[in-house]
Amino acid sequence: MSAFPRKDPRHRIEHCAIVDRDLIDRIAKLGICPSLNPGFISWNGSNYTKFYGERMKYFIALRSMLDAGIRVSISSDAPSGPVEPMTVLDAAVNRIDRNTGEPMDQTQRINLDEAIRCYTINGAYASKEEDVKGSIEVGKLADLVVLSRNPYDALPHQIREVKIEMTVIDGIIEYEDSSS
């Protein structure tokens, strides 16, 4: 970036899962937009702890990245990883391996507001699309979901139980749960 400077390049690091304090500081300084899938914590967290040990302190380090001012985005990493969006939000907020019940480093938890922002506005920012998506505003694409209940009314451990009843992409219903 020093040799070929550009205004607002927004370089991304996909799967930026294992970092340390120095790397977080460098990412923040360079304005890099890391993309993470916290769903892997709920899916397989205990195995990551087994193999990565102390490095789990900075595994999917959402809290540390946000505190450093990094515009981190989260995703489902479909189709290779946990794809249910509420599972991803649950993992960001709770950091629990849902197969074993084992908590992963709780210091990296973020709140629901932060998780939704990472999933929506920050994701659009990372792809330089914040003018057309990432929030529900006049003039932007009407990409949204209808949920079975308000996730803010759920206890943190109940977030993953909130169901997606409808998905709307650019104003067109692309998915509708037939069971509701």
Side-chain angles (χ1 to χ4, degrees), residues 4-22:
F4 301 99
R6 289 183 294 156
K7 183 181 176 187
D8 195 22
R10 295 190 206 174
H11 293 293
R12 291 173 58 150
I13 300 175
E14 300 296 325
H15 306 283
C16 188
I18 301 176
V19 295
D20 59 21
R21 183 78 252 164
D22 177 61

Side-chain angles (χ1 to χ4, degrees), residues 16-176:
C16 188
I18 301 176
V19 295
D20 59 21
R21 183 78 252 164
D22 177 61
L23 187 54
I24 290 170
D25 292 342
R26 291 187 306 158
I27 288 169
K29 180 181 176 188
L30 293 170
I32 292 172
C33 301
S35 178
L36 296 85
N37 179 359
F40 282 106
I41 292 168
S42 65
W43 204 31
N44 206 17
S46 297
N47 281 332
Y48 290 121
T49 299
K50 177 180 165 185
F51 294 114
Y52 296 130
E54 290 185 25
R55 290 182 286 174
M56 287 300 286
K57 179 177 181 180
Y58 289 108
F59 181 76
I60 304 181
L62 291 167
R63 173 83 281 134
S64 294
M65 289 182 183
L66 290 177
D67 288 350
I70 296 170
R71 295 283 295 260
V72 60
S73 63
I74 61 175
S75 67
S76 66
D77 204 27
S80 62
V83 298
E84 169 54 49
M86 301 313 288
T87 298
V88 176
L89 289 176
D90 169 67
V93 171
N94 294 302
R95 294 184 63 92
I96 294 172
D97 181 324
R98 293 298 181 185
N99 293 312
T100 66
E102 181 181 346
M104 302 296 102
D105 192 313
Q106 298 287 288
T107 65
Q108 294 297 343
R109 291 174 24 191
I110 61 175
N111 66 45
L112 185 57
D113 277 337
E114 292 167 322
I116 290 172
R117 177 172 285 278
C118 287
Y119 225 149
T120 57
I121 294 170
N122 288 5
Y125 176 85
S127 60
K128 292 189 174 185
E129 296 177 293
E130 70 272 21
D131 292 337
V132 295
K133 62 183 180 179
S135 59
I136 302 171
E137 298 177 55
V138 173
K140 290 189 175 185
L141 298 173
D143 294 355
L144 55 100
V145 296
V146 176
L147 303 175
S148 62
R149 67 187 275 208
N150 184 344
Y152 291 99
D153 292 341
L155 295 172
H157 72 275
Q158 296 172 324
I159 292 170
R160 65 191 177 124
E161 297 168 12
V162 176
K163 301 295 180 210
I164 295 174
E165 293 188 345
M166 182 184 296
T167 302
V168 180
I169 300 175
D170 197 13
I172 299 168
I173 298 173
E174 294 290 339
Y175 166 79
E176 193 164 9

